[in-house]
Amino acid sequence: MAKILIPTPLRQFTGGADIIEASGASVGEVLAALTTAHPDLKKNLYNDEGKLRSFVNIYVNDEDIRYLSKEATSIAAGDTVSIIPSIAGGR
Amino acid sequence: MIELSPAAWAVMVEHAQNCYPNECCGILIGSESDGKRLAILAVACRNAYDGEQKDRFEIDPRDQIAAERKSRELSLGVLGFFHSHPDEAAYFSQTDLKNHWPFYSNVVMSVRAREVKDAKCFRVDVDQTASTEEELTWPKS
């Protein structure tokens, strides 16, 4: 089981829960379990091609999965998966 | 509406001044009750934008993880974000609009000659096609 930390804007799709536990051997599997349990999250996390949206960052513990094995990144029991909104801007 | 505590405002002003003439950025942590938000803490973040930072910013996700952890420890929540516009007005640009999420309160500070002159707050609609100004109060010196 991994703990998934849900950012505030997405808690409306998890019944208000800020932490969801989900099982899976990889990030992709854990997120699939999450979106199966909470289907409304899917469109917020994935684009129409089924790929993670560019403004969604996924971290396992303190590591960005882009610099690990992306969605194939292994998950061990007790790992924390963070969904981090990408926030940027400028003039 | 959102109110900035004196402690939060002090962090925001110092960070904006230290980063000038580049844009600063950070995270607002606090609570919400009856539709009124109170930012109790502001967390100064690194500008992770890989390029000219005078008119661009990107919040370092590692700082977001740390702020998220801190907010949970304090039984508070991440309410939104702040950034500065050096030598520009406090407005929400198209770049801001495309790179912010709904729900959050987004404070923009106008900084001129290293002094914070103005601040405004904006929220993004669910489609990220428009922003609405949110009433903002902060300690005036």
Side-chain angles (χ1 to χ4, degrees), chain A residues 27-37 46:
Chain A
V27 168
E29 288 182 15
V30 166
L31 292 179
L34 173 70
T35 54
T36 299
Y46 295 95

Side-chain angles (χ1 to χ4, degrees), chain A residues 8-85:
Chain A
T8 331
L10 299 184
R11 290 176 197 166
Q12 61 185 300
F13 307 116
T14 59
D18 61 346
I19 298 175
I20 300 284
E21 293 204 335
S23 56
S26 67
V27 168
E29 288 182 15
V30 166
L31 292 179
L34 173 70
T35 54
T36 299
H38 303 280
D40 289 342
L41 274 176
K42 197 162 188 175
K43 66 179 186 303
N44 289 278
L45 298 179
Y46 295 95
N47 62 22
D48 292 340
E49 286 80 48
K51 295 189 172 171
L52 275 172
R53 291 187 179 278
S54 60
F55 49 79
V56 173
N57 297 314
I58 304 292
Y59 276 66
V60 175
N61 302 321
D62 288 338
E63 298 294 329
D64 187 340
I65 65 165
R66 290 189 185 96
Y67 303 110
L68 298 172
S69 301
K70 302 182 179 171
E71 286 169 82
T73 301
S74 297
I75 294 292
D79 277 347
T80 299
V81 176
S82 298
I83 300 171
I84 302 293

Side-chain angles (χ1 to χ4, degrees), chain A residues 9 62 85 87-91, chain B residues 54 57 64 69 88 93 96 100:
Chain A
D62 288 338
I87 302 292
R91 290 169 285 152
Chain B
K54 284 184 178 175
F57 81 93
Q64 284 179 258
R69 194 173 289 147
E88 265 288 355
S93 70
D96 293 331
H100 283 70

Side-chain angles (χ1 to χ4, degrees), chain B residues 73-140:
Chain B
E73 287 169 1
L74 297 170
S75 298
L76 299 171
V78 172
L79 299 177
F81 303 91
F82 67 91
H83 72 277
S84 61
H85 281 177
D87 298 314
E88 265 288 355
Y91 68 99
F92 211 62
S93 70
Q94 284 299 309
T95 309
D96 293 331
L97 182 61
K98 289 176 184 166
N99 292 282
H100 283 70
W101 279 41
F103 169 86
Y104 291 121
S105 297
N106 304 294
V107 176
V108 185
M109 294 182 287
S110 169
V111 187
R112 298 183 189 276
R114 209 177 284 277
E115 293 297 321
V116 176
K117 298 292 187 184
D118 192 17
K120 289 183 179 174
C121 188
F122 303 88
R123 286 207 207 182
V124 174
D125 71 358
V126 290
D127 301 321
Q128 286 179 276
T129 55
S131 62
T132 306
E133 189 170 346
E134 180 178 11
E135 186 180 347
L136 170 71
T137 59
W138 72 90
K140 307 285 197 302

